Amino acid sequence: MTAAPAPRLLAAAPARPRRRTALVLSGAAVALVLSALAGVWVGALPLPPGAVLATLADRALSPLGVDVPGGLEGTGAAVLLQLRLPRVALAALVGAGLAVSGAAYQGVFRNPLADPYLLGAAAGAGLGATLVIAHVPATPLGPVGLVPLAAFAGALLGVGAALLLGTAAGGSHSATLLLAGVAVASFLAAAQTLVQQQNTDDLRAVYGWLLGQLGRAQWSDVVLVLPYLGAACLVLLLCGRALDVLAVGDDEARSLGVHPGRLRLLVVVAASLATASAVAVSGLIGFVGLVVPHVVRRLVGGSHARVLPVSLLAGGAFLVLADLVARVALAPAELPIGVVTAFVGAPFFAGLLWAGARRR
Amino acid sequence: MSGARVEVVGLSAAHGRSRVLDDVRLDVGPGGWTAVIGPNGSGKTTLLRAVLGAHPHGGQVRVDGVPTTAVPRRERARTLAYAPQRPVVPEGVSTAEYVGLGRTPHRALLAAPRPADRQVVADVMARLELTGLADRAVATLSGGEQQRAVLARALAQQPRVLLLDEPTSALDLGHAQQVLDLVDRLRRQDGLTVLSTLHDLTLAGQYADRLALLSGGRVVAEGTPAQVLTAEALAGHYGARAQVVTGPHGPAVLPLRAPGHDRG
Ligand SMILES: Nc1ncnc2c1ncn2[C@@H]1O[C@H](COP(=O)(O)OP(=O)(O)OP(=O)(O)O)[C@@H](O)[C@H]1O
Ligand SMILES: [Mg+2]
């Protein structure tokens, strides 16, 4: 009997999965709401949750002629509505998208080490952003900068190239696709380094982008990614049960009525779209797509029908909290959020592995 | 639910450039059990995978006269179930959930398991003595327990045709007999059609009503166990020395040591 590769990192199946999942799912939802409140609260100008909720209720109900007292005024309201809220919303969206994509990639490649950047999305986005930063004078294009667009296109082109190469080389086999992705990613990363080396003046800007940033988040960013990210996440959530079938192998999936090649393509395309959207507005934020699904699997077991929705909520909460840390750790300076996710995430992950190993 | 006639006509298949199956012809009647036997590497697994539609092949596979390629995938999955020789065991999935995957073709792909699905799963697991293992991760089961879980998943599919690739390879004698008895009962009660490979020739001879001996990619002998299991065939195709003893339920194969190695 052959087990799925690298099984050490995965959790055992929980007893009574349904009750436990309902519990974990509501826990993750509560965590997301609480972290969002905290993310809005903390900053140079503290905005207490009570006043925040009152302001939001007031805004929501004012069309009905209802006035809610106790809301924020003037600067407070402006900071809330123009700075904190879009930032928290974008962090939640990006975190949710990266975590779901990571879980989906891991399922589709039957590999717990897969992450959403694996197939060339990160390298393609990096090359696109670097090219624009280095060669296009800083003129934003309408409300949307040129860098996000280039990153988005680069990510999709990277994954597209990997898919083309992988399909040409070996049909729909997951290992071939993975290797094609590694080849494309290395090539694009090399190209990006080359461009970067020839334009050393722009190094700071390039690194700033590569390490991830949510500091300039605006509502326009949220509006820009929401359709793509939302649609892609919806598709992935709907694929949960099919991914559970795929987990028993291609032949058996086929014998159960699921076309493994088509499912894999659908999931890879949707996850890559989510990743490209996330990367476009936030740069390369590592570790979310790897760590969040792992933690979630420990809690609810390996079934994708459970892992995907919980990862969505937990990923959003995780990135909102990471952004909070990025803002306050060295205030008034900001840490790149990618540094925070790795700095907090890596030791946490290591601890988790250690605890898991001891339990065995 | 009743069994279906499975006809394999002129089937050929290859792995890369090397041809593995050549003009294979089989006919399993409704409720029949044909065991494909043959030495290692003779193409038994390839044959089963081709019948399933998981391996590209020439020729035709017909179920009740309809070519399987003409049937939509999900409908085919309600007809044919497959238990592979080397199953992929998913991580972090309980045995009950694993067996429950067999219900996939019976409901919308997005739908959650219904009470009726849970009932079928519970029944099948009880029949295969898996109830006590329901909450264990299937990856932590022993090899034989896993093999029974795989069979349970295939049975939960409530198929009309069961494709079993070495269903007893990891089972002790008692469990092997228990599993084969169960398959036999299903085909007698529900008319389930069974196409299996079995490397244990005695078990094959006792349980299957027909044997097909595959050698060099061709069916070299086909018929009742007594017709196929002969000392000459075993010597010719397996390179084995064996005596064939006739038992009450079919021939039994007794392996013999080479002469001239007296003990003592
Ligand atoms: N993926 C593959 N690539 C190349 N050759 C293969 C592949 N799979 C099987 N073969 C070859 O095809 C032939 C038939 O293999 P198959 O697995 O069908 O044999 P089998 O009769 O099931 O053997 P066993 O009794 O050992 O299970 C063997 O020679 C085998 O080496
Ligand atoms: Mg075989």
Side-chain angles (χ1 to χ4, degrees), chain B residues 89-140:
Chain B
V89 179
E91 287 291 328
V93 173
S94 73
T95 307
E97 287 177 302
Y98 178 79
V99 175
L101 291 176
R103 301 304 298 159
T104 305
H106 290 277
R107 57 166 190 263
L109 198 51
L110 301 180
R114 301 157 303 178
D117 295 323
R118 295 183 203 289
Q119 192 56 52
V120 172
V121 169
D123 287 349
V124 169
M125 290 186 53
R127 287 174 107 167
L128 284 164
E129 286 183 13
L130 288 167
T131 310
L133 302 172
D135 287 337
R136 281 264 302 278
V138 69
T140 66

Short mmCIF file of all heavy atoms in Angstrom, two decimals, chain B residues 89-140:
data_model
loop_
_atom_site.label_atom_id
_atom_site.label_comp_id
_atom_site.label_asym_id
_atom_site.label_seq_id
_atom_site.Cartn_x
_atom_site.Cartn_y
_atom_site.Cartn_z
N VAL B 89 -3.71 5.84 0.14
CA VAL B 89 -4.45 6.05 1.38
C VAL B 89 -4.32 7.51 1.78
O VAL B 89 -3.22 8.00 2.02
CB VAL B 89 -3.90 5.14 2.49
CG1 VAL B 89 -4.66 5.38 3.77
CG2 VAL B 89 -4.01 3.69 2.06
N PRO B 90 -5.43 8.25 1.84
CA PRO B 90 -5.33 9.67 2.18
C PRO B 90 -5.02 9.87 3.66
O PRO B 90 -5.37 9.03 4.50
CB PRO B 90 -6.72 10.21 1.83
CG PRO B 90 -7.62 9.04 1.92
CD PRO B 90 -6.81 7.82 1.59
N GLU B 91 -4.38 10.98 3.96
CA GLU B 91 -4.01 11.30 5.34
C GLU B 91 -5.15 12.04 6.04
O GLU B 91 -5.88 12.79 5.40
CB GLU B 91 -2.78 12.21 5.34
CG GLU B 91 -1.49 11.51 4.99
CD GLU B 91 -1.06 10.54 6.06
OE1 GLU B 91 -1.34 10.81 7.25
OE2 GLU B 91 -0.45 9.52 5.73
N GLY B 92 -5.25 11.83 7.33
CA GLY B 92 -6.16 12.63 8.12
C GLY B 92 -7.62 12.41 7.79
O GLY B 92 -8.45 13.29 8.00
N VAL B 93 -7.94 11.25 7.23
CA VAL B 93 -9.32 10.94 6.89
C VAL B 93 -9.72 9.69 7.66
O VAL B 93 -8.99 8.71 7.67
CB VAL B 93 -9.45 10.71 5.37
CG1 VAL B 93 -10.82 10.23 5.01
CG2 VAL B 93 -9.13 11.99 4.62
N SER B 94 -10.86 9.73 8.32
CA SER B 94 -11.28 8.58 9.11
C SER B 94 -11.76 7.46 8.19
O SER B 94 -12.10 7.69 7.03
CB SER B 94 -12.40 8.97 10.07
OG SER B 94 -13.59 9.17 9.36
N THR B 95 -11.77 6.24 8.76
CA THR B 95 -12.20 5.09 7.96
C THR B 95 -13.64 5.28 7.48
O THR B 95 -13.95 4.98 6.32
CB THR B 95 -12.09 3.81 8.81
OG1 THR B 95 -10.75 3.75 9.33
CG2 THR B 95 -12.36 2.59 7.98
N ALA B 96 -14.50 5.80 8.35
CA ALA B 96 -15.89 6.00 7.94
C ALA B 96 -15.98 7.00 6.77
O ALA B 96 -16.72 6.79 5.81
CB ALA B 96 -16.72 6.50 9.12
N GLU B 97 -15.19 8.08 6.86
CA GLU B 97 -15.21 9.06 5.76
C GLU B 97 -14.67 8.44 4.48
O GLU B 97 -15.18 8.69 3.39
CB GLU B 97 -14.33 10.26 6.11
CG GLU B 97 -14.92 11.18 7.14
CD GLU B 97 -13.96 12.31 7.48
OE1 GLU B 97 -12.82 12.03 7.91
OE2 GLU B 97 -14.34 13.45 7.28
N TYR B 98 -13.63 7.64 4.64
CA TYR B 98 -13.02 7.00 3.47
C TYR B 98 -14.04 6.09 2.78
O TYR B 98 -14.23 6.17 1.56
CB TYR B 98 -11.78 6.22 3.90
CG TYR B 98 -11.12 5.50 2.76
CD1 TYR B 98 -10.31 6.18 1.87
CD2 TYR B 98 -11.33 4.13 2.55
CE1 TYR B 98 -9.71 5.54 0.81
CE2 TYR B 98 -10.74 3.48 1.49
CZ TYR B 98 -9.94 4.18 0.62
OH TYR B 98 -9.37 3.54 -0.44
N VAL B 99 -14.69 5.25 3.55
CA VAL B 99 -15.70 4.36 2.98
C VAL B 99 -16.82 5.19 2.37
O VAL B 99 -17.36 4.87 1.31
CB VAL B 99 -16.22 3.38 4.04
CG1 VAL B 99 -17.35 2.53 3.49
CG2 VAL B 99 -15.09 2.50 4.55
N GLY B 100 -17.14 6.30 3.04
CA GLY B 100 -18.21 7.18 2.55
C GLY B 100 -17.94 7.76 1.17
O GLY B 100 -18.88 8.13 0.46
N LEU B 101 -16.67 7.84 0.77
CA LEU B 101 -16.36 8.36 -0.57
C LEU B 101 -17.02 7.52 -1.65
O LEU B 101 -17.29 8.00 -2.75
CB LEU B 101 -14.85 8.39 -0.79
CG LEU B 101 -14.07 9.41 0.04
CD1 LEU B 101 -12.58 9.28 -0.21
CD2 LEU B 101 -14.53 10.81 -0.29
N GLY B 102 -17.29 6.26 -1.33
CA GLY B 102 -17.95 5.38 -2.28
C GLY B 102 -19.33 5.87 -2.67
O GLY B 102 -19.87 5.49 -3.72
N ARG B 103 -19.92 6.74 -1.85
CA ARG B 103 -21.25 7.25 -2.16
C ARG B 103 -21.21 8.40 -3.17
O ARG B 103 -22.26 8.85 -3.63
CB ARG B 103 -21.96 7.72 -0.88
CG ARG B 103 -22.14 6.65 0.18
CD ARG B 103 -22.87 5.44 -0.33
NE ARG B 103 -24.21 5.76 -0.78
CZ ARG B 103 -24.92 5.01 -1.61
NH1 ARG B 103 -24.41 3.90 -2.07
NH2 ARG B 103 -26.13 5.37 -1.97
N THR B 104 -20.02 8.87 -3.50
CA THR B 104 -19.88 10.05 -4.36
C THR B 104 -20.74 10.01 -5.63
O THR B 104 -21.46 10.97 -5.91
CB THR B 104 -18.40 10.25 -4.74
OG1 THR B 104 -17.63 10.32 -3.54
CG2 THR B 104 -18.19 11.51 -5.55
N PRO B 105 -20.71 8.91 -6.40
CA PRO B 105 -21.49 8.96 -7.65
C PRO B 105 -23.00 8.91 -7.45
O PRO B 105 -23.74 9.08 -8.41
CB PRO B 105 -21.00 7.72 -8.42
CG PRO B 105 -20.36 6.85 -7.43
CD PRO B 105 -19.90 7.70 -6.30
N HIS B 106 -23.43 8.73 -6.22
CA HIS B 106 -24.88 8.61 -5.98
C HIS B 106 -25.52 9.91 -5.55
O HIS B 106 -26.72 9.97 -5.29
CB HIS B 106 -25.16 7.54 -4.92
CG HIS B 106 -24.87 6.15 -5.41
ND1 HIS B 106 -25.77 5.42 -6.15
CD2 HIS B 106 -23.77 5.39 -5.32
CE1 HIS B 106 -25.26 4.25 -6.46
NE2 HIS B 106 -24.03 4.21 -5.97
N ARG B 107 -24.73 10.97 -5.41
CA ARG B 107 -25.35 12.26 -5.05
C ARG B 107 -24.59 13.35 -5.78
O ARG B 107 -23.53 13.11 -6.35
CB ARG B 107 -25.30 12.47 -3.53
CG ARG B 107 -23.89 12.42 -2.97
CD ARG B 107 -23.83 12.97 -1.57
NE ARG B 107 -22.45 13.11 -1.17
CZ ARG B 107 -21.79 12.21 -0.45
NH1 ARG B 107 -22.40 11.12 -0.04
NH2 ARG B 107 -20.53 12.39 -0.15
N ALA B 108 -25.18 14.56 -5.77
CA ALA B 108 -24.51 15.68 -6.44
C ALA B 108 -23.14 15.88 -5.82
O ALA B 108 -22.94 15.66 -4.62
CB ALA B 108 -25.35 16.94 -6.28
N LEU B 109 -22.18 16.27 -6.65
CA LEU B 109 -20.80 16.36 -6.20
C LEU B 109 -20.64 17.36 -5.07
O LEU B 109 -19.73 17.25 -4.24
CB LEU B 109 -19.90 16.74 -7.37
CG LEU B 109 -18.42 16.46 -7.20
CD1 LEU B 109 -18.20 15.02 -6.76
CD2 LEU B 109 -17.67 16.73 -8.48
N LEU B 110 -21.52 18.34 -4.99
CA LEU B 110 -21.39 19.37 -3.96
C LEU B 110 -22.13 19.00 -2.69
O LEU B 110 -21.97 19.63 -1.66
CB LEU B 110 -21.93 20.70 -4.48
CG LEU B 110 -21.26 21.24 -5.73
CD1 LEU B 110 -21.88 22.55 -6.14
CD2 LEU B 110 -19.77 21.41 -5.49
N ALA B 111 -22.97 17.96 -2.76
CA ALA B 111 -23.87 17.68 -1.65
C ALA B 111 -23.15 16.95 -0.52
O ALA B 111 -22.21 16.20 -0.74
CB ALA B 111 -25.04 16.84 -2.14
N ALA B 112 -23.62 17.19 0.69
CA ALA B 112 -23.10 16.49 1.86
C ALA B 112 -23.73 15.11 1.92
O ALA B 112 -24.77 14.86 1.32
CB ALA B 112 -23.43 17.29 3.12
N PRO B 113 -23.10 14.16 2.65
CA PRO B 113 -23.69 12.83 2.78
C PRO B 113 -25.10 12.91 3.37
O PRO B 113 -25.35 13.67 4.30
CB PRO B 113 -22.74 12.13 3.75
CG PRO B 113 -21.46 12.87 3.65
CD PRO B 113 -21.82 14.28 3.31
N ARG B 114 -26.01 12.11 2.83
CA ARG B 114 -27.37 12.08 3.34
C ARG B 114 -27.50 10.92 4.34
O ARG B 114 -26.65 10.04 4.36
CB ARG B 114 -28.35 11.87 2.19
CG ARG B 114 -28.28 12.95 1.12
CD ARG B 114 -28.81 12.44 -0.20
NE ARG B 114 -28.10 11.24 -0.62
CZ ARG B 114 -28.39 10.56 -1.73
NH1 ARG B 114 -29.38 10.93 -2.49
NH2 ARG B 114 -27.68 9.49 -2.06
N PRO B 115 -28.56 10.90 5.12
CA PRO B 115 -28.74 9.78 6.06
C PRO B 115 -28.71 8.43 5.34
O PRO B 115 -28.14 7.46 5.87
CB PRO B 115 -30.12 10.05 6.66
CG PRO B 115 -30.31 11.52 6.52
CD PRO B 115 -29.60 11.93 5.28
N ALA B 116 -29.29 8.36 4.15
CA ALA B 116 -29.28 7.10 3.41
C ALA B 116 -27.85 6.67 3.10
O ALA B 116 -27.52 5.48 3.17
CB ALA B 116 -30.09 7.26 2.12
N ASP B 117 -26.99 7.65 2.77
CA ASP B 117 -25.59 7.33 2.50
C ASP B 117 -24.91 6.77 3.75
O ASP B 117 -24.18 5.78 3.70
CB ASP B 117 -24.84 8.59 2.04
CG ASP B 117 -25.36 9.11 0.71
OD1 ASP B 117 -25.71 8.27 -0.14
OD2 ASP B 117 -25.41 10.33 0.53
N ARG B 118 -25.17 7.43 4.88
CA ARG B 118 -24.56 6.97 6.13
C ARG B 118 -25.01 5.54 6.45
O ARG B 118 -24.25 4.74 6.98
CB ARG B 118 -24.95 7.89 7.28
CG ARG B 118 -24.40 9.29 7.13
CD ARG B 118 -24.77 10.12 8.37
NE ARG B 118 -24.76 11.53 8.04
CZ ARG B 118 -23.65 12.23 7.81
NH1 ARG B 118 -22.48 11.65 7.90
NH2 ARG B 118 -23.71 13.50 7.49
N GLN B 119 -26.27 5.24 6.12
CA GLN B 119 -26.79 3.91 6.40
C GLN B 119 -26.06 2.86 5.56
O GLN B 119 -25.63 1.83 6.07
CB GLN B 119 -28.30 3.88 6.09
CG GLN B 119 -28.99 2.63 6.60
CD GLN B 119 -28.78 2.46 8.10
OE1 GLN B 119 -29.03 3.37 8.88
NE2 GLN B 119 -28.27 1.29 8.50
N VAL B 120 -25.91 3.14 4.28
CA VAL B 120 -25.19 2.20 3.41
C VAL B 120 -23.78 1.98 3.93
O VAL B 120 -23.30 0.84 4.04
CB VAL B 120 -25.14 2.73 1.96
CG1 VAL B 120 -24.24 1.86 1.10
CG2 VAL B 120 -26.54 2.81 1.36
N VAL B 121 -23.11 3.09 4.29
CA VAL B 121 -21.73 2.99 4.79
C VAL B 121 -21.69 2.15 6.06
O VAL B 121 -20.84 1.27 6.22
CB VAL B 121 -21.16 4.41 5.03
CG1 VAL B 121 -19.85 4.34 5.78
CG2 VAL B 121 -20.98 5.12 3.71
N ALA B 122 -22.63 2.41 6.97
CA ALA B 122 -22.64 1.65 8.22
C ALA B 122 -22.86 0.17 7.95
O ALA B 122 -22.20 -0.69 8.56
CB ALA B 122 -23.74 2.20 9.14
N ASP B 123 -23.76 -0.16 7.03
CA ASP B 123 -24.03 -1.56 6.70
C ASP B 123 -22.79 -2.25 6.15
O ASP B 123 -22.41 -3.33 6.60
CB ASP B 123 -25.15 -1.66 5.65
CG ASP B 123 -26.50 -1.35 6.25
OD1 ASP B 123 -26.59 -1.27 7.49
OD2 ASP B 123 -27.46 -1.17 5.47
N VAL B 124 -22.16 -1.60 5.17
CA VAL B 124 -21.00 -2.19 4.54
C VAL B 124 -19.88 -2.38 5.56
O VAL B 124 -19.21 -3.42 5.60
CB VAL B 124 -20.52 -1.31 3.37
CG1 VAL B 124 -19.17 -1.75 2.88
CG2 VAL B 124 -21.53 -1.36 2.23
N MET B 125 -19.69 -1.38 6.41
CA MET B 125 -18.62 -1.48 7.39
C MET B 125 -18.89 -2.60 8.39
O MET B 125 -17.97 -3.30 8.82
CB MET B 125 -18.42 -0.15 8.10
CG MET B 125 -17.83 0.87 7.13
SD MET B 125 -17.36 2.44 7.84
CE MET B 125 -16.31 1.97 9.17
N ALA B 126 -20.16 -2.77 8.73
CA ALA B 126 -20.49 -3.87 9.64
C ALA B 126 -20.18 -5.21 8.98
O ALA B 126 -19.61 -6.11 9.61
CB ALA B 126 -21.97 -3.79 10.03
N ARG B 127 -20.52 -5.34 7.71
CA ARG B 127 -20.28 -6.61 7.02
C ARG B 127 -18.80 -6.93 6.91
O ARG B 127 -18.42 -8.09 6.83
CB ARG B 127 -20.88 -6.56 5.60
CG ARG B 127 -22.38 -6.62 5.60
CD ARG B 127 -22.91 -6.43 4.22
NE ARG B 127 -23.41 -7.69 3.67
CZ ARG B 127 -24.16 -7.74 2.57
NH1 ARG B 127 -24.47 -6.65 1.93
NH2 ARG B 127 -24.59 -8.89 2.12
N LEU B 128 -17.96 -5.90 6.88
CA LEU B 128 -16.52 -6.13 6.75
C LEU B 128 -15.79 -5.97 8.08
O LEU B 128 -14.57 -5.81 8.11
CB LEU B 128 -15.93 -5.20 5.69
CG LEU B 128 -16.26 -5.64 4.27
CD1 LEU B 128 -16.01 -4.54 3.27
CD2 LEU B 128 -15.45 -6.88 3.90
N GLU B 129 -16.55 -5.98 9.18
CA GLU B 129 -15.96 -5.87 10.51
C GLU B 129 -15.09 -4.63 10.65
O GLU B 129 -13.99 -4.68 11.19
CB GLU B 129 -15.11 -7.12 10.84
CG GLU B 129 -15.94 -8.34 11.14
CD GLU B 129 -15.08 -9.54 11.53
OE1 GLU B 129 -13.89 -9.33 11.80
OE2 GLU B 129 -15.61 -10.66 11.56
N LEU B 130 -15.57 -3.52 10.15
CA LEU B 130 -14.80 -2.28 10.23
C LEU B 130 -15.43 -1.29 11.20
O LEU B 130 -14.88 -0.22 11.45
CB LEU B 130 -14.70 -1.63 8.84
CG LEU B 130 -13.78 -2.32 7.83
CD1 LEU B 130 -14.02 -1.78 6.44
CD2 LEU B 130 -12.33 -2.15 8.23
N THR B 131 -16.59 -1.65 11.77
CA THR B 131 -17.34 -0.69 12.58
C THR B 131 -16.48 -0.14 13.72
O THR B 131 -16.49 1.06 13.99
CB THR B 131 -18.60 -1.36 13.15
OG1 THR B 131 -19.28 -1.99 12.05
CG2 THR B 131 -19.52 -0.34 13.77
N GLY B 132 -15.71 -1.02 14.35
CA GLY B 132 -14.89 -0.57 15.47
C GLY B 132 -13.76 0.36 15.05
O GLY B 132 -13.16 1.03 15.88
N LEU B 133 -13.47 0.40 13.77
CA LEU B 133 -12.37 1.23 13.28
C LEU B 133 -12.87 2.51 12.63
O LEU B 133 -12.10 3.27 12.06
CB LEU B 133 -11.54 0.45 12.25
CG LEU B 133 -10.94 -0.87 12.75
CD1 LEU B 133 -10.32 -1.64 11.60
CD2 LEU B 133 -9.91 -0.60 13.82
N ALA B 134 -14.19 2.78 12.74
CA ALA B 134 -14.80 3.88 11.99
C ALA B 134 -14.10 5.21 12.21
O ALA B 134 -13.91 5.98 11.27
CB ALA B 134 -16.28 3.99 12.36
N ASP B 135 -13.72 5.50 13.46
CA ASP B 135 -13.15 6.82 13.76
C ASP B 135 -11.63 6.86 13.64
O ASP B 135 -11.03 7.91 13.82
CB ASP B 135 -13.57 7.26 15.17
CG ASP B 135 -15.04 7.66 15.21
OD1 ASP B 135 -15.56 8.01 14.14
OD2 ASP B 135 -15.64 7.61 16.30
N ARG B 136 -11.02 5.71 13.39
CA ARG B 136 -9.56 5.71 13.23
C ARG B 136 -9.20 6.30 11.87
O ARG B 136 -9.93 6.14 10.89
CB ARG B 136 -9.04 4.27 13.28
CG ARG B 136 -8.95 3.70 14.67
CD ARG B 136 -7.55 3.84 15.26
NE ARG B 136 -6.53 3.18 14.45
CZ ARG B 136 -6.26 1.87 14.49
NH1 ARG B 136 -6.95 1.09 15.28
NH2 ARG B 136 -5.30 1.36 13.75
N ALA B 137 -8.04 7.02 11.82
CA ALA B 137 -7.56 7.50 10.53
C ALA B 137 -7.23 6.29 9.68
O ALA B 137 -6.57 5.36 10.14
CB ALA B 137 -6.32 8.37 10.72
N VAL B 138 -7.70 6.29 8.45
CA VAL B 138 -7.55 5.11 7.60
C VAL B 138 -6.06 4.83 7.34
O VAL B 138 -5.64 3.69 7.18
CB VAL B 138 -8.36 5.27 6.29
CG1 VAL B 138 -7.79 6.33 5.39
CG2 VAL B 138 -8.47 3.96 5.56
N ALA B 139 -5.23 5.89 7.39
CA ALA B 139 -3.80 5.71 7.16
C ALA B 139 -3.13 4.94 8.30
O ALA B 139 -2.03 4.42 8.14
CB ALA B 139 -3.12 7.07 6.98
N THR B 140 -3.79 4.87 9.47
CA THR B 140 -3.18 4.18 10.60
C THR B 140 -3.63 2.72 10.69
O THR B 140 -3.20 2.01 11.59
CB THR B 140 -3.53 4.88 11.93
OG1 THR B 140 -4.95 4.75 12.15
CG2 THR B 140 -3.15 6.34 11.91
#
